[in-house]
Amino acid sequence: MSEKINAKRREFLKNSSLGVAGVTLTGGSLTSTFAKAESAVDSKTVVTAAHWGPLGVVVENGKVVKSGPAIEPSVVNELQSVVADQLYSEARIKYPMVRKGYLEGNSDRTLRGRDEWVRVSWDQALDLVANEMKRVREKHGPSGIFAGSYGWYSSGALHAARTLLHRYLNVTGGFVGTKGDYSTGAAQVIMPHVLGTIEVYEQQTSWEVILENTDTIVLWGANPITTMRIAWTSTDQKGIEYFKKFKDTGKRIICIDPVRSETCEFLGAEWVPINTATDVPLMLGIAHELVRQNKHDKAFLKKYTSGYAKFEDYLLGKTDGQPKTAEWASKICGVPVEIIQTLANDFSSKRTMLMGGWGMQRQRHGEQTHWMLVTLASMLGQIGLPGGGFGLSYHYSNGGVPTVKGGVLGSITATPSVSAGEKTWLDETSKFSFPVARLTDALLHPGKTIKYNGTEITYPEIKVIYWAGGNPYSHHQDTNQMVKAWQKPDTIIVNDVNWTATARMADVVLPATTSYERNDLTMSGDYSMMNIYPMKQVVPPQFEARSDYDIFAELAKRAGVEEQFTEGKTEMQWLKEFYQVAFTAARNNRVVMPKFEQFWEENKPLTFEATEPAKQWVRYEQFRNDPLLNPLGTPSGKIEIYSDVVAKMNYDDCKGYPSWMEPEEFAGNVTEEYPLALVTPHPYYRLHSQLAHTSLRQKYAVNDREPVLIHTEDAKTRGIVNGDIVRIESPRGQVLAGAVVTDGIIKGTIALHEGAWYDPLDLGVSEKPLCKNGCPNVLTRDEGTSKLAQGNSPNTCIVQVEKFQGEAPRVTVFEQPKHSA
Ligand SMILES: Nc1nc2c(c(=O)[nH]1)N[C@H]1C(S)=C(S)[C@@H](COP(=O)(O)OP(=O)(O)OC[C@H]3O[C@@H](n4cnc5c(=O)[nH]c(N)nc54)[C@H](O)[C@@H]3O)O[C@H]1N2
Ligand SMILES: Nc1nc2c(c(=O)[nH]1)N[C@H]1C(S)=C(S)[C@@H](COP(=O)(O)OP(=O)(O)OC[C@H]3O[C@@H](n4cnc5c(=O)[nH]c(N)nc54)[C@H](O)[C@@H]3O)O[C@H]1N2
Ligand SMILES: [Mo]
């Protein structure tokens, strides 16, 4: 993968107007480099943005001809180059479509995913949806309508598909939603018990502090060069720049990962290969070594943590007869004893920042990984010191890039403004949600009660699913099981831009615009809040696509509540209002922003400056300086290495202190039938399933399949060579993929990236339909991380791989589905 990253920088910006840097708001007046450079009569550059950053898009004669960064990033980001591919893709949904069998009475719901499609008019489609929503609401109430609609849709303060869906359903009487997310399902539930905050989505110690003070960065299951090509709002592009700067200082970077990741290669880091899902043993081994050598920071543990003694009894084997020695750990995690000992010495003798990623909590008992990481960091005693301790968001949305002084945009809300004291159905809403990754279970078992973080949740009976802006057929585990669950509801409605597997599995499909076909605004950075990017409409909507806003406004109109949904505002009125929120906040911060009209006219990003205190900010410094005055939000006010609250929940799969519980499937627990472990990292050239249909696919697809990384020896024993099409099978399903034979993965594990589009060959025929493209979730397990968090656990999975014999069926998921009109 290194050649991909080290690929010679494209000279995209040469002779184009896109090379301007973001304006800073000094004095509040903007220069218009962009506007001046536009010379050709029929050519213009429009500034817009996406998760993958600020974009300049060149339009000639009404068509997009190229796109690139509107602010040049320090490392090229190819995701910015495919705006045209997105707009003009063969995979786009062109018209409102309804499944044939659904129109004919919906007698056989197993036809979902393999039926023919019928084109209908917008009026027909909207009437159909409006009537069905009304029917279900009247007969079953809000608990019959599932609109969790988890997903990453597109950036934008206004055109936020999922929020707009919720807004429509809120003004019409409610729905069943979800708790948590797929990203940090386990960590965000355990961390509040340990640290008093969710931690995973918090600002990190400033990079300026890291550059100055940190000796060693440990990327513990984190791959920032990949995962920071995007952000939830839009990337400010600075996180990767800081990693590069750190590398340039020549200081040490260690990657602990089953895969020699893009980051490991790009930063020239030391790679410590580890078996997937065995980080807890490795951390315990290091912790044991610290105690053995009396190198743990007893003063820190005493002053800032609670319950260490109980954990130490476990660590030393006093509770279970098994001391968690380096030798013990090594056998499980595959890291040699000497390296475990070296890591213990190096971490404790040098200023070390443990940067934890999230893939290692997306597995059974995923709660333990981050709890144990915080425990290890506590034993090292550097939490709250400049450049030391742990950070759980350096790989995501540019964590650690200093927060600016400026203003933050307003955005559309799921609930329209209600007058104070007015009662709405929302007061009841909390009754109607379940942990997001329990989707299939909920659909299959209405009325079933599950445990969750000290509470009990009973699943409702779902009659209609409405999804806008997410792709569960790529994101949810155990696809074959989900296909069955998906046959339960009466009706499934999907708004999407493309014919994703999820759209193909629906009854009614409504074509949504891309963000390039509407006007919007976005912040960048998520933590830094560094820029406001205009998201200007680049071209008119293609075919019959409409924005989610318009779709839901039309549906609200049919329910007689259009005014509540739109509040009587136009697109530009909303944007001006959101901008004004930032404008006012900035003014209170004594930062001058241009008026909205001027900003919009300027056609370029606004950039705010970070303050000195933000640049010097150290997470947990205040707590360290005075833990009594600045206690944590835990019951003890300290870091809870032992949590009484968790212990009292009495769960067999999450105890009162971090501990090692063998997952059902991992490298240390394989079978003869399924002798390899599977890990499913996030993809370098996509955002999940987004952009899979663009020309970027040619950069990674092997024999037109999703690439699977397989160790040289594992390939050899199976007679597999680079470029072969292979069949991967797990106890749950089977997929085809293209072999990438490499030493860049630990032996005994294969890697298949999440987000590949599900493309079943023989749906409805075979018990385990073959996915022709390589969607990893056909293989993964669908079980909660534990009773505590009920998070998703795809990285707990074993498989077998074989060379595929015969002629491989063509991948067809990027083409239009069968349709009659
Ligand atoms: N095995 C495995 N599975 C995983 C993970 C893993 O690590 N391993 N990771 C998990 C994680 S962390 C996540 S966040 C999820 C991601 O799962 P998702 O967020 O569901 O993935 P996306 O591909 O981003 O799906 C977004 C969908 O929205 C559509 N879309 C884009 N813009 C718009 C719009 O304006 N309107 C509408 N209506 N639709 C739009 C896109 O076409 C796409 O189909 O996957 C999870 N699944
Ligand atoms: N380009 C791009 N960027 C993205 C995304 C994307 O799809 N594409 N998705 C975004 C989203 S929604 C999220 S949640 C984040 C995800 O961020 P993460 O969850 O951190 O990403 P992953 O790729 O799942 O895992 C990071 C690294 O951990 C390794 N890993 C997996 N399991 C283990 C384990 O058990 N132990 C150890 N030590 N390492 C392990 C993987 O091989 C990978 O190199 O990324 C975001 N950024
Ligand atoms: Mo995520």
Side-chain angles (χ1 to χ4, degrees), residues 159 306 565 688:
H159 294 285
S306 111
F565 183 87
H688 314 297

Side-chain angles (χ1 to χ4, degrees), residues 48-218:
T48 185
H51 292 298
W52 34 92
L55 305 172
V57 183
V58 181
V59 183
E60 276 172 21
N61 300 319
K63 263 200 106 137
V64 170
V65 291
K66 68 175 172 178
S67 62
I71 300 174
E72 214 180 330
S74 72
V75 175
V76 67
N77 186 348
E78 298 89 342
L79 308 194
Q80 299 174 334
S81 68
V82 289
V83 169
D85 290 6
Q86 282 181 270
L87 281 163
Y88 311 125
S89 164
E90 174 59 18
R92 279 201 75 162
I93 303 165
K94 299 176 180 171
Y95 315 105
M97 300 287 256
V98 184
R99 189 169 67 74
K100 189 157 171 274
Y102 186 80
L103 280 177
E104 290 168 355
N106 199 18
S107 58
D108 181 3
R109 292 181 294 210
T110 72
L111 282 174
R112 283 182 185 138
R114 56 197 174 98
D115 207 350
E116 214 171 278
W117 290 91
V118 181
R119 178 178 169 184
V120 297
S121 71
W122 265 110
D123 272 338
Q124 263 177 294
L126 291 165
D127 288 346
L128 187 72
V129 173
N131 291 336
E132 175 62 358
M133 298 305 278
K134 184 163 182 276
R135 179 192 73 85
V136 173
R137 188 176 296 291
E138 282 173 3
K139 198 153 169 225
H140 306 280
S143 68
I145 301 170
F146 178 68
S149 188
Y150 181 81
W152 266 71
Y153 39 93
S154 293
S155 309
L158 175 61
H159 294 285
R162 186 193 198 204
T163 312
L164 292 164
L165 167 64
H166 290 175
R167 186 177 174 92
Y168 155 61
L169 291 172
N170 280 337
V171 297
T172 54
F175 63 97
V176 177
T178 51
K179 297 179 197 298
D181 60 34
Y182 281 77
S183 311
T184 62
Q188 66 176 259
V189 180
I190 187 66
M191 285 295 101
H193 293 295
V194 180
L195 294 163
T197 77
I198 61 168
E199 200 62 33
V200 284
Y201 302 133
E202 310 270 358
Q203 180 58 295
Q204 307 295 300
T205 292
S206 162
W207 262 110
E208 299 291 337
V209 175
I210 299 279
L211 287 177
E212 182 144 353
N213 299 283
T214 305
D215 298 313
T216 307
I217 284 179
V218 181

Side-chain angles (χ1 to χ4, degrees), residues 744-816:
I745 186 163
I746 192 168
K747 186 173 170 311
T749 295
I750 63 164
L752 191 63
H753 292 87
E754 62 100 19
W757 289 22
Y758 174 56
D759 190 11
L761 173 71
D762 39 12
L763 194 69
V765 181
S766 162
E767 251 306 291
K768 290 180 183 173
L770 178 70
C771 172
K772 300 178 280 178
N773 185 41
C775 173
N777 280 323
V778 173
L779 307 167
T780 57
R781 296 172 93 244
D782 180 23
E783 191 174 358
T785 50
S786 80
K787 296 182 191 73
L788 188 89
Q790 296 285 4
N792 60 119
S793 57
N795 288 330
T796 296
C797 181
I798 53 173
V799 294
Q800 177 58 296
V801 182
E802 64 175 26
K803 192 176 157 119
F804 182 74
Q805 308 293 344
E807 196 174 331
R810 212 165 53 79
V811 169
T812 52
V813 71
F814 302 111
E815 299 164 10
Q816 296 282 306

Side-chain angles (χ1 to χ4, degrees), residues 15 44 101 122 185 221 259 281 316 374 458 469 482 490 494 501 593 635 660 665 718 748:
N15 308 320
K44 61 174 177 160
W122 265 110
V259 182
L316 300 180
V374 173
T458 302
M482 187 162 70
D490 299 340
V494 169
M593 275 169 68
W660 166 240
E665 297 182 20
R718 290 167 176 78

Side-chain angles (χ1 to χ4, degrees), residues 306-541:
S306 111
Y308 171 72
K310 287 201 176 89
F311 166 76
E312 201 189 71
D313 283 350
Y314 166 73
L315 181 69
L316 300 180
K318 292 184 187 158
T319 48
D320 62 355
Q322 175 61 65
K324 313 301 176 298
T325 60
E327 290 75 16
W328 169 85
S330 174
K331 285 195 191 101
I332 303 169
C333 68
V335 179
V337 174
E338 314 77 70
I339 293 191
I340 298 178
Q341 286 164 341
T342 312
L343 292 177
N345 287 327
D346 295 354
F347 290 0
S348 57
S349 59
K350 292 268 161 44
R351 187 59 56 87
T352 303
M353 180 56 90
L354 305 175
M355 297 183 175
W358 302 336
M360 60 182 177
Q361 53 87 61
R362 230 173 271 118
Q363 46 190 247
R364 288 275 291 149
H365 313 298
E367 295 84 358
Q368 308 305 314
T369 339
H370 285 85
W371 197 354
M372 188 54 217
L373 189 78
V374 173
T375 301
L376 177 59
S378 299
M379 293 173 74
L380 294 168
Q382 299 180 18
I383 295 168
L385 290 180
F390 66 93
L392 305 186
S393 210
Y394 279 106
H395 67 293
Y396 180 76
S397 290
N398 304 290
V401 174
T403 304
V404 300
K405 191 161 98 169
V408 176
L409 294 168
S411 59
I412 193 77
T413 53
T415 28
S417 350
V418 281
S419 350
E422 195 182 321
K423 271 248 167 217
T424 71
W425 82 275
L426 279 162
D427 303 311
E428 304 276 286
T429 180
S430 56
K431 278 192 207 157
F432 300 122
S433 68
F434 55 81
V436 67
R438 301 281 43 84
L439 172 64
T440 295
D441 198 33
L443 289 170
L444 286 175
H445 307 291
K448 175 178 163 183
T449 298
I450 61 159
K451 295 203 160 63
Y452 168 74
N453 198 18
T455 66
E456 296 203 332
I457 290 172
T458 302
Y459 297 139
E461 178 145 5
I462 292 163
K463 295 292 176 187
V464 55
I465 296 178
Y466 201 140
W467 221 291
N471 193 357
Y473 272 87
S474 99
H475 77 226
H476 190 70
Q477 290 60 56
D478 195 351
T479 312
N480 289 327
Q481 195 62 7
M482 187 162 70
V483 169
K484 287 189 197 131
W486 211 248
Q487 290 166 358
K488 289 270 186 167
D490 299 340
T491 303
I492 298 171
I493 306 156
V494 169
N495 297 3
D496 205 299
V497 179
N498 298 309
W499 278 111
T500 60
T502 303
R504 287 163 201 265
M505 288 286 178
D507 299 313
V508 184
V509 168
L510 304 179
T513 50
T514 65
S515 64
Y516 316 125
E517 297 158 283
R518 56 202 190 207
N519 290 299
D520 215 326
L521 291 169
T522 186
M523 297 302 301
S524 82
D526 297 12
Y527 303 112
S528 73
M529 301 293 172
M530 186 180 291
N531 309 279
I532 296 179
Y533 298 148
M535 292 179 66
K536 291 192 151 197
Q537 181 173 340
V538 180
V539 290

Side-chain angles (χ1 to χ4, degrees), residues 707-732:
V708 57
L709 308 188
I710 181 166
H711 189 270
T712 316
E713 285 177 43
D714 293 327
K716 201 168 162 206
T717 53
R718 290 167 176 78
I720 293 167
V721 298
N722 223 13
D724 275 351
I725 294 181
V726 296
R727 195 180 66 92
I728 311 171
E729 187 176 352
S730 84
R732 292 152 294 274

